[in-house]
Amino acid sequence: MTSKKAGLKRRLSFTGFIYLIFFVIILFVQVTSFARTDDNKNNIKNENSQEEILKHRAQLKEEIKKNKTDIELKTDSDLTDHSSFLEKKLEILQKIDLIYEQQLSQIKQYSDLKQSMSQLQDKLSNLKSKEIPYKAPYSFLLLDELKEKLALLEDQADTIKVAVKTVEDSLQAAKDKMETMEQNRRRIKDDLKAKDKEEATSNDLTLARLSSRLAEERIKHLKITLQNEKTKESIHQLKFETLTQEITLVSPLVQFTQKELQDQIFKIEKNSISLKYRLKKVRTREELTHSRWANAKKQLDMVFSPDEREKKEKEVLVWRTWTDTYHLEVEVLSKNLKNLDDLKKIWRSRYELFHKIDSFDPAAWKKKSISTLEQMGMAKRLLIARHSDCRNEIPSLEKKLKSAKEASKITWFVEEQLKAFKKQGSIFTKGLERINSTQRAYQKMLGEIEKKEKYKSIKEKLSDLWATVYRIWRYEITSVEDYPITVGKIIIALILLTIGFLLSQHLTAQIGKQLFSRFGMDEAATIAFQKILHYLFLIMIVLFVLNMVRIPLTFFTVIGGALAIGVGFGSQNIVNNFLSGLILLIERPVKIGDIVDVENIQGTVEWVGGRSTKIRTFDNLRLVVPNSTLLQNKVINWSLSDDIVRREIVLGIAYGSDVKKAESLILKAVSGHKLVEKDPAPIVLFNDFGDSALIFRTLLWIKMSKVGMAHYYIIQVESDIRFSIDELFRQNNIVIAFPQQDTHLDTLKPLEIRLKREKENNDT
């Protein structure tokens, strides 16, 4: 039972699915037929309206005929108001007849537009099914023609939108006017009713009704016009889609042959020959009119009669206008010739771009196209402004010509000026057409380059990158003695100099190690020799690199001349310190390991560089001193010629002590220290009788190589000696003096003594 129920459910679901498909098909057919019926209804409506308009127009013709008869039959005894009424009525009826004619024209146009729209829809449908009305392979000129049409459609898009908006505004204005007419008709009707007058006999009401009818027919006409404009907009969109689809289908199968290129070049050269011939003729005419203008000006100086002078001035003005006209034509034709040359280059470049020829440089052409389009835009704006000025002159000349003819005056002068200005207008128009044509060619070129850039393969991108790098590499910065200084040469020189600098550092370091280990040179001398050798190697490397990359030494004289002021003023301290460093390395008044005193700061020299010297103070601080300071200022070098330094120990003993014994004890303490030099021997000097002590000054010499090249070790020796002196003096009862002061009392009169007791408060 369960299986039977399941089978029954499956059959029912399948049957339901079949019914659902059938229902959808019926619904689709109904919708399609409804759309077709609606379209047919629109066509029937238009046909009925056309028949209705023809019927109304026939009736209107009878009214116009009757009204004309009434006007012809009127006599002088007829009332003036009635005559005016008939004329106004005839005028309105004729306007309505004109509106009917315009309506019929718009209805016919709508029929043609619908037919064109249907054809375009069929064509677009075929294109979407990839049915192309051309045989492959397709010509590049065909593709170019399609793109030209597409560009024109893009230019027309704004115009069509403006046309639709204009008709919409006109329709709204007509509706507002219709409302005003109806209000006027209702007001007249209400006034007649208030006065108990018959409507049929009122001329004002008749005219008001006719005016309302005219406004109503104008609204109908504008509605049909708006429908046509919107249909045109739809057709324009269909054309755009059709052309876009055609270009999409044609583009992959396009071939650009050498023959097509030669045909285009031949056409351009043919136009160039024609233009050159035309330019030659115009130049001849320009020279002729210029000579006539010059002769007329000379004759003007010899004319004294007012009438003759006025005529001669007009003649001068005419020939000047014609001279300006031919000069303008020469100018425009010359620019047109240049534009034709540009077109030839563009076609050749498009051929190279299409076939991916290596000699073609897309980046350069892109830059040139953008720049040229900007220049042509400015030239176009200037030409339009001049054309506007020319057009403004024509109406005033036409008015002047009309006045001259009415007054039966000589019109030759004005006619010639008018002809010249009209010719100028024609020249401006042709010049603008040529500029527009050349602009479109550059825009096509630019578009094709951008499209190629957008869809480039990795290989093409790498190739373009290499071409850009190569162009930058070969870019000439300057030249010296007819030798180009390029970016590539400078980069190679910098790389070689860097490698040479590192090799020089490594080589001189190895030489320094060998000198230090084999020949026993001290470290300071080794480092000085190493640095000087390093600088010599650098000079040799610089000369070698410059010769290798073919950069003449005079290049540096150019740079030196340009930077002389900067080096002389801004870099004088750096140069001064560098030269001072070289002197320090050569003369070695201060070397690494020396203990020096610079501006009351003592320390050990750690490094002598090209710009500065590093000194480690006895407080373990690093002092950086410019090399020029060590040469220009007073510097105490404790170890310049030898490493023996003299130190002093000053002490005082109490008055009454055995000075000889004190001397011997001090010598014993000093001589007993192992780091004090025996030669020269220490000396103890009885230096002075002090205020509180007998002053002894002990001189001793210490060799820093034994102690250590640091101030800390020297003062440690002095400290040890002071400990020994103190111990020996204690053992031999010699007192080291300390500051003392004597107090003297005046005993010539009794001393007054006062005792003061302080009470202590005890807690009870």
Side-chain angles (χ1 to χ4, degrees), residues 6 110 120 132 178-179 273 337 405 531 548 590 691 694:
Y110 177 76
L120 281 170
I132 309 175
M178 172 71 182
E179 183 62 30
I273 293 169
L337 276 172
K405 284 182 177 179
K531 279 187 169 295
M548 184 176 179
V590 174
D691 293 336
L694 302 171

Side-chain angles (χ1 to χ4, degrees), residues 108-129:
K108 184 179 181 303
Q109 187 182 13
Y110 177 76
S111 177
D112 296 337
L113 289 172
K114 290 297 288 183
Q115 187 177 357
S116 300
M117 192 171 181
S118 176
Q119 292 173 355
L120 281 170
Q121 286 172 341
D122 293 340
K123 185 177 180 180
L124 183 60
S125 177
N126 293 335
L127 287 170
K128 285 183 177 178
S129 61

Side-chain angles (χ1 to χ4, degrees), residues 443-456:
Q443 286 166 353
K444 285 180 191 175
M445 185 71 191
L446 194 59
E448 288 169 8
I449 291 172
E450 289 174 349
K451 186 177 179 182
K452 286 284 184 182
E453 288 177 347
K454 188 177 180 181
Y455 298 104
K456 279 180 182 177

Side-chain angles (χ1 to χ4, degrees), residues 104-156:
L104 291 170
S105 174
Q106 289 293 333
I107 289 171
K108 184 179 181 303
Q109 187 182 13
Y110 177 76
S111 177
D112 296 337
L113 289 172
K114 290 297 288 183
Q115 187 177 357
S116 300
M117 192 171 181
S118 176
Q119 292 173 355
L120 281 170
Q121 286 172 341
D122 293 340
K123 185 177 180 180
L124 183 60
S125 177
N126 293 335
L127 287 170
K128 285 183 177 178
S129 61
K130 297 187 178 179
E131 293 182 14
I132 309 175
Y134 317 110
K135 291 183 180 180
Y138 307 113
S139 166
F140 184 81
L141 299 180
L142 171 64
L143 179 62
D144 198 55
E145 183 183 351
L146 294 174
K147 287 181 178 179
E148 184 78 21
K149 289 179 180 178
L150 189 66
L152 289 173
L153 285 177
E154 288 175 348
D155 293 339
Q156 293 169 3

Side-chain angles (χ1 to χ4, degrees), residues 453-471:
E453 288 177 347
K454 188 177 180 181
Y455 298 104
K456 279 180 182 177
S457 63
I458 296 174
K459 182 180 178 182
E460 288 175 333
K461 289 179 179 178
L462 290 174
S463 176
D464 289 346
L465 179 62
W466 171 251
T468 304
V469 171
Y470 183 75
R471 188 172 59 255

Side-chain angles (χ1 to χ4, degrees), residues 524-579:
T526 303
I527 291 173
F529 181 77
Q530 180 180 327
K531 279 187 169 295
I532 293 170
L533 193 62
H534 175 61
Y535 293 143
L536 290 174
F537 280 170
L538 284 181
I539 293 171
M540 294 171 64
I541 289 167
V542 168
L543 294 174
F544 170 75
V545 169
L546 292 177
N547 183 61
M548 184 176 179
V549 297
R550 296 189 300 279
I551 297 177
L553 287 174
T554 48
F555 174 66
F556 292 95
T557 62
V558 175
I559 295 177
L563 301 178
I565 297 175
V567 172
F569 291 96
S571 306
Q572 58 181 347
N573 289 333
I574 296 174
V575 175
N576 186 18
N577 288 323
F578 179 74
L579 295 176

Side-chain angles (χ1 to χ4, degrees), residues 10 25 28 144 173 180 196 257 262 309 385 399 443 459 509:
R10 282 196 296 272
I25 292 170
F28 177 76
D144 198 55
T180 304
D196 293 330
T257 63
Q262 293 300 328
R309 187 171 184 81
K399 187 177 179 181
Q443 286 166 353
K459 182 180 178 182

